[in-house]
């Protein structure tokens, strides 16, 4: 097949700037051919090279005594004691999900699961963080249905419980939804598998499903803005098969037990290209691939298509040659492809052969670790104007406005489409707060949460970045977990705009300060830039996925709210309404500054909750919607009314940070007050649980009526 003539238009369509393409020519001492240009394009695009973000990502705290493996591998690894490790990561599949919602979301789940079991871990939990445009936008309904069905369809068939996540709506996502997928798995701490190749002349082995033309150019597409040619990008979206992935996982874990694996890498973005280059680069080796040996499902595929295909359920491995027959037998048993497609080389070369013809001959190290790195110009986000007066409102009217909004209404319609109980170890499923999975055969449990408040980040990137981590810390603490570590998914617009790059830099600074102060190092993550359509960017959305450890079932703080329980708030309440849910939902105003995050207070209050968890019957953090929404959600979950002493709008709906709502018996409340006083902390009685009314400062409504609004609003909007 005749290769296309390389023109300026073709170069631009591959995402190169003129300077980058000139550098490719300089590296090679000649012009690249079409396949070589495709390989450079895949490895140098934003999605794979992190060329705009590497400078700032290096500033994040990534180490700690609990960290076994930090960023740079397929997923991060933390020690959870008893010789066990938790492997976890979060990644985006934003652009594919907007173009083709079901397959985009499904393959996002598939990809993150492979990242986990490629490290030798059996997946035990999944989460997802979803951001859509305004509910009445013509495309939002289709996106919500497709994405939720894709997440559920893949995860349910694979057989991993979805234990948490979040769903938000804002007009900023009208042209670019966000689908951030998280997965975690368990492994023996001394049996973690890494991707760095070693040994010269070692067989490079292709594993899993066959290669097709789906997803060709997907990584490059993910590194570009959308415009009116969006439908033309549909072929760049991959197609997933969860049943093949399930077999691939079982075969891979069985293969690892044979001792045959030297290194292993998921074929994700940029497929064969990225997986081979990363393994070689990390091991300081070259790689030769013989493409005629690659299992394909379509005839007459070119070298370009095979190298850039993002067909799913595939992996690449460097194998101990003496165990090849034993390894192949495992994959034959699971009816999956196993093919030796190349070997490692001593020299720094990426050599691509196809039917005896040389298709690419490139210096491998120039494709990965020495890819372009930019120090993009950035400007600091201007300080917000002070919030002008906010009128007081009827507190029940304010609550009704929040619980009827899809942002804050119950998300049962979403998570009831996910299998939350498969594997039988789910101790707490989605609804309120962090999810919990028991570690099978032990007393331990792991808590999971995903958090960010994009409107805070837009107003004040540093405080917004801190708040995302702090809220994750509180959600883990509220169920009795000790926070361990975090993964981040940095979703932003174009880094070529200084104001957007400034948001990114500010958020990184805030996240770095928070994970350091709260001892929650970043061990993995993903950057998704160019989330824009026709020049309009999303809200800055640095999603934080976090995990925490619970040593014993008795340490779990439940949701056991009962008649007569006292309601207490730990932390100072000043009534901060800037950028609050109430301000946006009721008044249509996005004004004022984000709430300040006092990291010392966050740490002290978290330590207090864990130290006194035996006295606490139920606990939740205070975030969106403040005390009013938190108290309603806690009571509604238990079917118990709530009476709060105040009807004051800032007191009820302010979003001051470092606060928890606690429910407990009277004698336990007294003991907590004494303990808080001794620790110099503020713990205030704010009301009580009981009855069948929700009453704020004497203004009330039946719990049954409010619960009906809360439970039905989301489904009525989208079902």
């Amino acid at each position: 097949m005749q290769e296309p003539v390389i023109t300026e238009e073709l170069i631009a369509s591959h995402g190169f700037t003129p300077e980058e393409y000139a550098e490719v020519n300089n590296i090679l001492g000649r012009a690249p051919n079409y396949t070589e240009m495709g390989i450079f394009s895949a490895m140098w695009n934003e999605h794979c090279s992190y060329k705009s973000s590497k400078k700032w990502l290096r500033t994040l705290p990534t180490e700690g005594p609990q960290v076994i493996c930090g960023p740079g591998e397929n997923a991060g690894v933390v020690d959870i004691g008893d010789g066990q490790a938790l492997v976890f990561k979060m990644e985006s599949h934003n652009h594919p999900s907007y173009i083709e919602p079901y397959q985009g979301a499904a393959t996002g789940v598939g990809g993150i699961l492979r990242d986990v079991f490629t490290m030798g871990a059996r997946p035990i939990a999944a989460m997802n963080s979803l951001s859509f445009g305004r509910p009445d936008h013509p495309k939002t309904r289709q996106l919500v249905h497709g994405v939720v069905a894709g997440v559920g369809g893949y995860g349910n068939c694979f057989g991993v419980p979805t234990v948490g996540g979040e769903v938000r709506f804002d007009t900023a996502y009208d042209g670019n939804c966000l689908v951030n997928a998280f997965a975690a798995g368990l492994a023996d701490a001394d049996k973690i598998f890494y991707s760095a190749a070693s040994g010269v002349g070692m067989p490079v082995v292709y594993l899993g499903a066959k290669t097709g033309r789906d997803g060709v150019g997907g990584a490059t597409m993910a590194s570009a803005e959308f415009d009116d040619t969006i439908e033309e990008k549909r072929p760049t979206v991959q197609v997933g098969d969860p049943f093949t992935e399930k077999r691939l996982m079982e075969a891979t874990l069985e293969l690892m037990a044979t001792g045959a694996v030297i290194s292993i890498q998921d074929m994700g973005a940029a497929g064969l290209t990225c997986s081979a280059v990363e393994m070689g680069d990390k091991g300081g080796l070259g790689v030769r691939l013989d493409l005629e040996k690659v299992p394909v499902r379509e005839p007459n595929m070119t070298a370009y298509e095979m190298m850039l295909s993002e067909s799913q359920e595939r992996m690449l491995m460097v194998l101990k040659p003496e165990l090849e027959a034993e390894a192949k037998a495992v994959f034959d048993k699971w009816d999956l492809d196993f093919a030796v497609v190349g070997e490692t080389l001593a020299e720094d070369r990426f050599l691509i052969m196809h039917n005896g013809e040389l298709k690419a001959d490139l210096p491998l190290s120039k494709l990965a670790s020495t890819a372009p790195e930019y120090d993009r110009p950035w400007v600091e986000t201007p300080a917000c104007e002070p919030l002008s007066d906010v009128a007081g409102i009827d507190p029940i009217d304010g609550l009704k406005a929040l619980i009827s909004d899809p942002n804050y209404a119950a998300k049962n319609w979403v998570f009831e489409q996910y299998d939350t109980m498969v594997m039988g170890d789910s101790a707490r499923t989605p609804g309120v707060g962090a999810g919990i999975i028991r570690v099978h055969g032990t007393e331990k449990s792991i808590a999971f949460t995903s958090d960010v408040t994009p409107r805070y980040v837009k107003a004040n990137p540093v405080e917004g970045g801190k708040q995302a981590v702090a809220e994750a810390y509180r959600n883990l603490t509220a169920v009795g977990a000790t926070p361990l570590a975090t993964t981040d998914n940095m979703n932003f617009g174009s880094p070529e705009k200084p104001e957007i790059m400034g948001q990114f830099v500010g958020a990184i600074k805030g996240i770095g300060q928070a994970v350091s102060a709260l001892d929650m190092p970043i061990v993995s993550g993903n950057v998704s830039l160019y989330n824009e359509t026709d020049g309009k960017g999303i809200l800055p959305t640095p999603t934080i996925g976090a995990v925490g450890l619970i040593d014993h079932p008795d340490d779990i703080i439940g949701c056991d709210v009962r008649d007569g329980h006292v309601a207490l708030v730990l932390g100072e309440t000043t009534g901060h309404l800037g950028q609050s849910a109430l301000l946006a939902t009721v008044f249509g105003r996005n004004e004022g500054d984000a709430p300040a995050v006092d990291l010392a207070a966050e740490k002290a209050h978290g330590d207090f909750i864990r130290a006194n968890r035996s006295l606490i019957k139920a606990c939740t953090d205070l975030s969106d919607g403040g005390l009013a929404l938190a108290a309603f959600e806690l009571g509604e979950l238990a079917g118990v009314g709530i009476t709060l002493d105040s009807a004051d709008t800032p007191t009820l709906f302010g979003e001051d940070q470092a606060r928890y709502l606690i429910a407990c018996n009277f004698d336990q409340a007294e003991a907590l007050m004494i303990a808080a006083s001794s620790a110099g902390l503020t713990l205030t009685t704010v009301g009580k649980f009981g009855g069948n009314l929700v009453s704020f400062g004497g203004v009330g409504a039946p719990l049954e009526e409010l619960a009906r609004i809360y439970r039905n609003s989301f489904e009525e909007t989208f079902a």
Side-chain angles (χ1 to χ4, degrees):
M1 183 180 291
Q2 184 82 24
E3 287 196 343
V5 176
I6 296 180
T7 63
E8 289 186 7
E9 291 76 19
L10 191 64
I11 293 167
S13 73
H14 279 69
F16 288 108
T17 65
E19 294 77 15
E20 287 171 345
Y21 187 70
E23 180 60 19
V24 170
N25 282 259
N26 182 53
I27 288 169
L28 298 180
R30 58 177 171 82
N33 64 34
Y34 182 58
T35 300
E36 291 172 332
M37 184 179 69
I39 290 170
F40 263 106
S41 164
M43 293 307 301
W44 282 17
N45 69 61
E46 194 73 57
H47 195 69
C48 290
S49 73
Y50 288 50
K51 58 191 175 187
S52 298
S53 58
K54 279 190 287 192
K55 168 186 168 71
W56 298 102
L57 295 176
R58 291 193 192 99
T59 66
L60 289 171
T62 60
E63 297 178 349
Q66 70 274 46
V67 178
I68 295 173
C69 175
E73 276 294 337
N74 286 295
V77 188
V78 293
D79 192 334
I80 59 169
D82 305 316
Q84 292 180 301
L86 188 75
V87 179
F88 67 99
K89 189 182 184 182
M90 179 176 273
E91 277 204 342
S92 61
H93 232 222
N94 303 336
H95 282 44
S97 298
Y98 189 78
I99 297 168
E100 216 309 302
Y102 184 95
Q103 290 296 347
T107 51
V109 173
I112 199 67
L113 289 168
R114 283 196 305 282
D115 281 337
V116 166
F117 68 75
T118 301
M119 301 284 291
R122 182 174 290 276
I124 61 166
M127 294 191 295
N128 51 84
S129 177
L130 311 177
S131 304
F132 300 104
R134 66 183 191 274
D136 60 351
H137 187 275
K139 196 171 173 67
T140 298
R141 180 184 173 86
Q142 173 213 352
L143 289 171
V144 170
H145 277 259
V147 166
V148 170
V151 169
Y154 204 101
N156 296 354
C157 294
F158 181 86
V160 63
T162 297
V163 298
E166 50 189 347
V167 185
R168 71 177 55 82
F169 300 88
D170 190 279
T171 190
Y173 305 104
D174 284 349
N176 202 125
C177 67
L178 302 183
V179 175
N180 295 174
F182 170 101
L186 287 173
D188 292 337
D190 61 350
K191 293 186 177 70
I192 305 298
F193 287 81
Y194 299 99
S195 60
S198 64
V200 175
M202 295 293 113
V204 175
V205 183
Y206 175 110
L207 306 170
K210 289 178 168 56
T211 294
R213 289 186 171 92
D214 54 315
V216 173
T220 301
M221 175 273 292
S223 303
E225 300 174 29
F226 285 150
D227 53 28
D228 56 10
T229 65
I230 185 170
E231 285 302 315
E232 298 172 15
K233 296 181 171 68
R234 190 172 298 275
T236 62
V237 178
Q238 313 92 327
V239 178
D241 179 354
F243 298 108
T244 297
E245 177 116 333
K246 177 70 170 175
R247 288 185 288 124
L248 179 61
M249 178 190 73
E250 297 296 348
T252 300
L253 295 178
E254 189 174 327
L255 174 68
M256 289 168 167
T258 68
V261 178
I262 294 175
S263 65
I264 191 164
Q265 176 77 35
D266 162 46
M267 279 196 231
L272 261 173
T273 291
C274 195
S275 55
V277 169
E278 287 191 4
M279 285 204 303
D281 186 61
K282 289 174 184 174
L285 296 169
V287 173
R288 191 196 82 240
L289 296 178
D290 300 308
L291 296 186
E292 69 276 4
K293 298 176 181 178
V294 171
V296 294
R297 64 168 184 260
E298 300 182 47
N300 304 317
M301 289 188 69
T302 65
Y304 178 97
E305 290 170 331
M306 293 168 74
M307 291 306 296
L308 299 187
S309 166
E310 294 184 10
S311 294
Q312 296 292 285
E313 293 84 45
R314 303 179 303 157
M315 298 165 67
L316 204 63
M317 173 181 72
V318 176
L319 172 76
K320 293 178 182 176
E322 68 272 17
L323 294 175
E324 181 182 331
E326 189 174 350
K328 186 176 187 305
V330 171
F331 273 72
D332 287 346
K333 182 182 88 170
W334 287 99
D335 193 25
L336 292 164
D337 280 299
F338 177 103
V340 177
V341 297
E343 67 175 357
T344 58
L345 305 172
E347 59 267 39
D348 179 23
R349 293 177 79 189
F350 193 37
L351 199 60
I352 309 301
M353 306 296 295
H354 193 202
N355 295 322
E357 291 185 30
L358 178 66
K359 293 296 183 180
D361 188 354
L362 304 169
L364 187 143
S365 64
K366 298 296 183 183
L367 295 166
S369 55
T370 53
E373 181 175 333
Y374 295 129
D375 185 1
R376 300 275 193 197
W378 61 279
V379 294
E380 195 168 309
T381 301
C384 297
E385 293 291 328
L387 179 64
S388 56
D389 288 344
V390 178
I393 61 165
D394 180 291
I396 297 299
D397 287 346
L399 179 63
K400 284 181 177 179
L402 291 177
I403 62 177
S404 61
D405 186 303
N407 278 298
Y408 312 110
K411 306 299 190 300
N412 300 58
W413 181 85
V414 174
F415 62 72
E416 285 173 2
Q417 297 185 53
Y418 306 151
D419 193 333
T420 60
M421 299 300 292
V422 64
M423 301 174 73
D425 284 316
S426 301
R428 184 176 296 187
T429 54
V432 174
I436 302 175
I437 293 288
R438 294 180 288 266
V439 179
H440 199 72
T442 76
E443 298 285 347
K444 300 192 296 274
S445 297
I446 307 293
F448 301 92
T449 187
S450 167
D451 298 286
V452 66
T453 308
R455 63 182 184 276
Y456 291 172
V457 186
K458 184 177 182 182
N460 188 329
V462 175
E463 291 302 315
K466 285 160 62 175
Q467 192 275 339
V469 177
E471 185 173 347
Y473 175 86
R474 293 196 301 270
N475 277 328
L476 296 174
T477 297
V479 299
T482 300
L484 277 181
T486 50
T487 180
D488 59 352
N489 206 144
M490 307 292 290
N491 308 274
F492 289 79
S494 170
E496 296 171 42
K497 297 177 179 177
E499 65 276 14
I500 301 295
M501 198 64 208
Q503 292 174 347
F504 181 88
V505 171
I508 286 282
K509 289 180 177 180
I511 289 168
Q513 292 171 29
V515 298
S516 177
L518 301 176
D519 193 22
M520 299 168 68
I522 298 277
V523 298
S524 59
N526 173 246
V527 176
S528 175
L529 302 177
Y530 295 100
N531 289 288
E532 299 200 357
T533 297
D534 294 326
K536 182 180 179 183
I538 60 164
L539 288 176
T541 311
T543 310
I544 297 294
V547 301
L549 180 64
I550 302 171
D551 289 324
H552 191 275
D554 292 346
D555 293 336
I556 295 175
I557 299 174
C559 291
D560 186 21
V561 178
R562 305 231 177 129
D563 270 343
H565 274 170
V566 179
L568 305 105
V569 168
L570 175 64
E572 296 279 355
T573 297
T574 63
H576 183 95
L577 288 174
Q579 300 299 331
S580 66
L582 182 85
L583 193 69
T585 304
V586 175
F587 297 97
R589 295 165 58 185
N590 292 299
E591 300 171 20
D593 201 355
V597 178
D598 182 337
L599 293 169
E602 295 282 4
K603 183 74 165 60
H605 295 174
D607 290 345
F608 178 84
I609 293 289
R610 285 186 294 277
N612 293 280
R613 56 189 149 199
S614 63
L615 299 172
I616 298 170
K617 293 298 184 183
C619 183
T620 183
D621 88 306
L622 271 60
S623 52
D624 284 328
L627 173 60
L629 187 57
F632 168 76
E633 288 180 338
L634 206 56
E636 193 276 339
L637 187 67
V640 175
I642 172 76
T643 300
L644 297 181
D645 300 330
S646 178
D648 177 60
T649 297
T651 301
L652 288 173
F653 297 101
E655 296 180 6
D656 308 290
Q657 300 297 293
R659 296 187 302 159
Y660 297 84
L661 175 64
I662 296 167
C664 59
N665 295 322
F666 182 82
D667 55 343
Q668 294 166 327
E670 191 173 25
L672 283 168
M673 300 281 276
I674 293 169
S677 178
S678 298
L681 304 179
T682 300
L683 184 65
T684 309
T685 304
V686 294
K688 63 180 181 179
F689 291 92
N692 55 14
L693 290 177
V694 174
S695 176
F696 300 152
V699 181
L703 174 64
E704 183 180 2
E705 173 195 341
L706 297 174
R708 189 161 50 246
I709 296 170
Y710 179 62
R711 292 284 163 185
N712 296 338
S713 291
F714 193 98
E715 185 167 354
E716 288 171 355
T717 303
F718 293 107

